Amino acid sequence: MNGEPRKRISERALSVWRIYGMIGLAVSFIVFAAIIILIIVFDGPKWIIPMLIIVLIGEGYFFIFFIPALRWRRWRYEVREQEIEIQKGLFVVKRTLIPMIRVQHVDSSQGPLLKKYRLASVTISTAATVHEIPALDEEEAEELRYSISRLARVADEDV
Amino acid sequence: MSKKKRLHPISVVANIVKQLKDAILPIILVIIVGNKTISSMWDIAVPFAIIIYTIVIGIVSWIRFTYRLEEGELRIEYGVFVRKKRYIPFERIQGISISQGFLQRMFGVVKVNVETAGNQLGEAEAVLTAVTREEAKQLQRLIQKSKEKAGAIENILPQDESTTSFAQNDQELEQETKNIIFSMSFWEIFQVAVTSGGAFGVISAILIFVLQFDDIIPYEKLYKDAQKFIAHGMFYTVVTIILIFIAAYIISIIQNMMRYAFFTVEKAGENIIISRGLLERKKIAIPTERVQGIVVKENIIRRWFGYASVYIIHAGGAFNEGDPESIVLCPLIEKERIASVILSCLPDYSLNHEFIAPPKRARIRYMIRPLYFLLLPVCIVAYWLRPWGLLLLLLLPMASYFGYLSYRFAGWSISNYQLALRSRFLNVRTVYMLKNRIQSMEFSYNWFQQRKSLGTISATVMSGIGGAQGEVIDLDKEDLQTIYMWFKRTKGE
């Protein structure tokens, strides 16, 4: 296990995750704003208001800066002849080994946001598990999908 | 056999019984609600209508249900209001199981369960409720034959994707020397039933059943009665509860005895054949090459007597009933015997070897782990119910002790192409998997584990409902490295 998988996911993933964070923040902002208005209108306990603002700032920091950066730093993958290795995780680091021969199919998909950043996510399925690489450069994803499906066909059983 | 065929007419009865089972609640509801509101005419008319309706539906669905074998496919057409067609290519049929319920036995017919690849659960399964034994055999033979033709293609596919041999038909099986690997005496079956802990299952089933009647049963009145009853004395209440429990326990014992009666495991060619059951004879044939793993479970009571149970993880869907470990190979077996039974039916696996335990420094983590979930609720309740509630605090050292036990029993072992992972909380669970069956393997470590250079390993094999896993927490990182190297295929970076 010495040595992490070599490849990183696209750096543009950071931007996408930050946008996701911002969308979440906007939703919280609307909800919190509604609560604050209700508190003012119905003369509720005022001390909740600064608490909410602190929570909002905290959320903003965590989901726009801290977590995307940490997640990106952790994310690594490597496709070798006989297997795929993936490393991910924020507080729990997970490393997954998928033997090539177990790969059933590989999908790539692209939402509007990923498309805008010319990214695609790749999903690798075995008969029992599904593994996702969340943001790769479009061309890289295409290539990966191709090479995995080629390798998966070639890989022979060594047992 | 390309003509459209119908099931034996007895399936009409089977259909109706099944429908009525589903309809029984609404009927009772109508009777009870009807009592209060409308005239008594309705009391009879509505249930009567429902019963007539189910009978008609039962007959019509029997008429509409046809099956035939055509162009290498099993083609089923059915549906009363919406006509449905389901075509299952023989190559995708993984196995056929034949069972005989009460009704079926009375008319000498069998129920055929056609099982397909595990992935698309519930998508392409077919049940022929009542066909004659002859037809069932013919079906098996035909499918078998066409599969053999397709055999050449299958060999190219990776092993567990291929849809190869399932139970050959009975005659062939009889020709081969039947080799009974495992069977249970009446006394052993009784022991299984007694130690299975099914009483809780029965009680919860009764509770769920009762709760369904929520709207109907006058709970408030009952509650008042109950209050009076309780006022009569704690003694009677306690006795009643104990009686209910004993009754549930006895019911569960009887259930289990019927379930496991005449339990035998045979090996016939490349198939393991498990048959069991008193009222409903069940016979399951599992090709050895579709076995994905073996699980040995030692439940807390059976452990004391040196017994364990053995399960098979199996790639198919239909036999699993929602639990990847529901195919029982040995419901109860002396631990010393397991290795020899496995050797005779699944010789690829070897069950005799030493386990490597997590390192000493993991012990404290094992002992603290149960407290994560318990500490807060126990403290709150203890404080709330002072002074007696404080006794609850005793739970904490007990939980910790169980944590210690989990530490004692956890471990891993590699021999050749086989990985074994053992973990415990109340039950000791050991999963044996072969390297070429493992779909993926995951190593994980959180910050606390990292500091002590520990990590968690989990390996997944395929089962009918997605995957079955083995996991061991807090192993030495060096050990994880060993497992990693064992599993890794691309050598030398």
Side-chain angles (χ1 to χ4, degrees):
Chain A
M1 239 180 311
N2 28 20
E4 300 177 301
R6 277 190 225 123
K7 287 190 143 181
R8 287 184 178 280
I9 58 171
S10 167
E11 227 162 315
R12 294 195 298 275
L14 265 175
S15 323
V16 174
W17 286 340
R18 288 199 170 126
I19 292 173
Y20 286 149
M22 283 177 209
I23 294 169
L25 191 69
V27 172
S28 316
F29 179 79
I30 293 167
V31 173
F32 286 6
I35 294 174
I36 289 172
I37 290 169
L38 284 177
I39 286 174
I40 292 169
V41 171
F42 291 103
D43 201 26
K46 292 281 191 297
W47 57 269
I48 291 180
I49 297 172
M51 296 285 280
L52 288 182
I53 292 171
I54 290 170
V55 168
L56 204 64
I57 292 170
E59 188 192 330
Y61 171 69
F62 265 95
F63 286 95
I64 298 175
F65 299 101
F66 184 72
I67 288 180
L70 187 62
R71 176 173 285 158
W72 185 82
R73 232 181 315 148
R74 273 289 151 66
W75 245 109
R76 281 156 186 276
Y77 72 96
E78 191 172 328
V79 178
R80 291 188 284 263
E81 206 176 305
Q82 298 274 342
E83 73 226 315
I84 302 159
E85 186 167 355
I86 288 173
Q87 175 189 286
K88 65 176 176 183
L90 284 169
F91 304 107
V92 182
V93 184
K94 285 186 181 164
R95 287 179 73 167
T96 312
L97 263 181
I98 311 147
M100 206 51 98
I101 185 128
R102 298 289 125 215
V103 175
Q104 297 266 330
H105 54 265
V106 187
D107 301 309
S108 60
S109 68
Q110 210 176 23
L113 201 55
L114 287 180
K115 182 150 188 114
K116 187 173 174 299
Y117 284 88
R118 287 179 293 107
L119 292 170
S121 67
V122 172
T123 317
I124 301 156
S125 309
T126 69
T129 53
V130 179
H131 311 268
E132 193 190 27
I133 304 177
L136 289 176
D137 188 86
E138 271 175 346
E139 280 154 32
E140 209 178 328
E142 189 71 16
E143 205 177 295
L144 190 76
R145 205 188 58 199
Y146 176 72
S147 68
I148 288 178
S149 69
R150 187 171 46 84
L151 286 170
R153 247 177 293 141
V154 174
D156 52 12
E157 197 52 282
D158 62 350
V159 177
Chain B
M1 202 153 122
S2 65
K3 213 174 70 210
K4 284 191 185 183
K5 288 205 172 189
R6 292 222 164 77
L7 301 174
H8 190 277
I10 190 61
S11 78
V12 176
V13 181
N15 281 348
I16 291 172
V17 169
K18 193 168 158 270
Q19 293 267 346
L20 278 183
K21 246 201 255 166
D22 299 339
I24 200 113
L25 271 181
I27 291 179
I28 294 175
L29 196 103
V30 164
I31 292 173
I32 291 173
V33 174
N35 239 345
K36 287 179 206 147
T37 51
I38 323 167
S39 72
S40 58
M41 250 289 282
W42 283 96
D43 293 355
I44 307 160
V46 174
F48 195 69
I50 293 176
I51 288 167
I52 294 286
Y53 172 78
T54 43
I55 290 172
V56 170
I57 289 285
I59 294 169
V60 173
S61 58
W62 171 70
I63 293 173
R64 283 285 165 89
F65 190 105
T66 62
Y67 68 96
R68 62 186 197 273
L69 295 160
E70 221 173 56
E71 292 169 30
E73 285 182 328
L74 170 64
R75 300 185 164 175
I76 295 173
E77 292 176 16
Y78 63 104
V80 177
F81 298 109
V82 184
R83 306 227 53 187
K84 293 176 197 158
K85 290 178 182 181
R86 175 173 286 175
Y87 290 3
I88 308 170
F90 290 156
E91 299 89 69
R92 289 201 40 211
I93 295 177
Q94 298 267 358
I96 287 183
S97 81
I98 289 172
S99 66
Q100 222 179 1
F102 195 68
L103 273 174
Q104 278 93 342
R105 201 179 303 176
M106 269 169 47
F107 289 83
V109 291
V110 293
K111 178 171 159 186
V112 178
N113 235 314
V114 177
E115 188 213 9
T116 56
N119 273 6
Q120 298 83 0
L121 186 68
E123 221 177 66
E125 247 107 65
V127 183
L128 307 177
T129 335
V131 297
T132 60
R133 219 165 240 295
E134 292 310 305
E135 271 178 67
K137 276 183 195 166
Q138 204 188 342
L139 202 95
Q140 277 189 330
R141 248 197 310 273
L142 268 169
I143 292 171
Q144 181 78 29
K145 226 194 270 168
S146 78
K147 277 164 116 35
E148 272 157 21
K149 258 186 251 162
I153 307 162
E154 276 161 32
N155 292 336
I156 301 164
L157 294 170
Q159 252 181 354
D160 62 356
E161 237 195 0
S162 66
T163 51
T164 25
S165 65
F166 42 85
Q168 288 123 332
N169 56 59
D170 282 5
Q171 286 155 357
E172 272 176 60
L173 288 187
E174 270 149 31
Q175 278 162 17
E176 289 185 65
T177 41
K178 274 200 186 171
N179 184 2
I180 293 187
I181 288 165
F182 177 78
S183 66
M184 285 203 302
S185 67
F186 179 80
W187 171 237
E188 281 173 316
I189 292 165
F190 181 70
Q191 281 175 297
V192 175
V194 169
T195 56
S196 73
F200 296 102
V202 172
I203 288 178
S204 56
I206 293 173
L207 269 183
I208 289 167
F209 186 71
V210 168
L211 287 179
Q212 280 187 325
F213 289 94
D214 207 15
D215 306 331
I216 304 160
I217 296 175
Y219 277 112
E220 264 171 57
K221 189 171 167 299
L222 278 183
Y223 185 65
K224 271 183 203 141
D225 289 349
Q227 269 185 325
K228 252 186 252 163
F229 184 69
I230 292 168
H232 265 283
M234 277 294 259
F235 179 72
Y236 290 108
T237 322
V238 171
V239 167
T240 317
I241 290 172
I242 290 173
L243 282 181
I244 291 175
F245 196 82
I246 290 173
Y249 190 46
I250 291 172
I251 293 174
S252 98
I253 288 176
I254 294 170
Q255 266 185 347
N256 272 311
M257 294 207 43
M258 293 207 290
R259 198 165 164 222
Y260 291 120
F262 306 114
F263 193 100
T264 53
V265 178
E266 289 156 47
K267 171 121 184 182
E270 286 304 299
N271 295 293
I272 300 169
I273 296 169
I274 303 172
S275 37
R276 63 171 166 85
L278 185 65
L279 279 187
E280 186 177 9
R281 291 290 288 154
K282 267 207 162 173
K283 205 170 181 185
I284 301 175
I286 304 159
T288 45
E289 57 177 74
R290 289 189 48 230
V291 172
Q292 307 288 312
I294 299 173
V295 182
V296 177
K297 274 189 201 163
E298 299 165 53
N299 105 7
I300 198 162
I301 301 169
R302 290 174 191 167
R303 253 193 64 78
W304 282 341
F305 300 102
Y307 280 97
S309 12
V310 183
Y311 299 79
I312 287 177
I313 301 173
H314 169 256
F319 307 142
N320 286 356
E321 291 155 10
D323 177 5
E325 285 157 28
S326 67
I327 296 184
V328 188
L329 188 69
C330 313
L332 187 74
I333 183 170
E334 294 101 325
K335 270 193 281 187
E336 293 81 47
R337 265 184 73 200
I338 298 177
S340 73
V341 166
I342 292 299
L343 189 70
S344 49
C345 62
L346 295 160
D348 293 344
Y349 293 83
S350 64
L351 265 59
N352 274 334
H353 37 79
E354 298 285 297
F355 279 76
I356 300 166
K360 275 251 162 59
R361 58 182 187 280
R363 187 170 58 195
I364 189 76
R365 282 182 45 80
Y366 267 93
M367 291 175 70
I368 291 174
R369 198 171 303 117
L371 303 183
Y372 291 166
F373 313 99
L374 274 179
L375 192 60
L376 201 62
V378 164
C379 285
I380 289 171
V381 174
Y383 180 79
W384 196 26
L385 297 175
R386 266 171 306 159
W388 287 105
L390 290 175
L391 280 176
L392 278 177
L393 291 177
L394 284 175
L395 274 178
L396 299 178
M398 262 171 66
S400 208
Y401 176 66
F402 273 108
Y404 172 71
L405 284 182
S406 330
Y407 164 74
R408 279 271 313 279
F409 283 92
W412 63 278
S413 155
I414 286 176
S415 61
N416 265 342
Y417 290 117
Q418 174 191 284
L419 172 70
L421 299 175
R422 172 180 286 171
S423 61
R424 158 170 195 165
F425 190 64
L426 289 178
N427 300 336
V428 182
R429 178 171 178 268
T430 315
V431 187
Y432 297 85
M433 356 177 132
L434 297 181
K435 185 174 171 182
N436 63 339
R437 293 293 186 204
I438 296 173
Q439 300 283 342
S440 74
M441 200 182 263
E442 188 175 274
F443 303 86
S444 70
Y445 20 94
N446 61 35
W447 189 70
F448 297 103
Q449 286 177 315
Q450 190 100 27
R451 270 199 343 181
K452 292 195 164 179
S453 91
L454 298 168
T456 299
I457 174 169
S458 95
T460 308
V461 292
M462 182 186 172
S463 85
I465 51 162
Q469 279 177 336
E471 188 184 68
V472 192
I473 305 171
D474 287 345
L475 287 180
D476 195 316
K477 262 203 172 164
E478 306 234 322
D479 291 354
L480 292 183
Q481 174 74 26
T482 313
I483 301 174
Y484 176 89
M485 289 315 288
W486 171 79
F487 190 60
K488 197 174 160 217
R489 284 146 195 260
T490 311
K491 308 289 179 194
E493 275 174 274

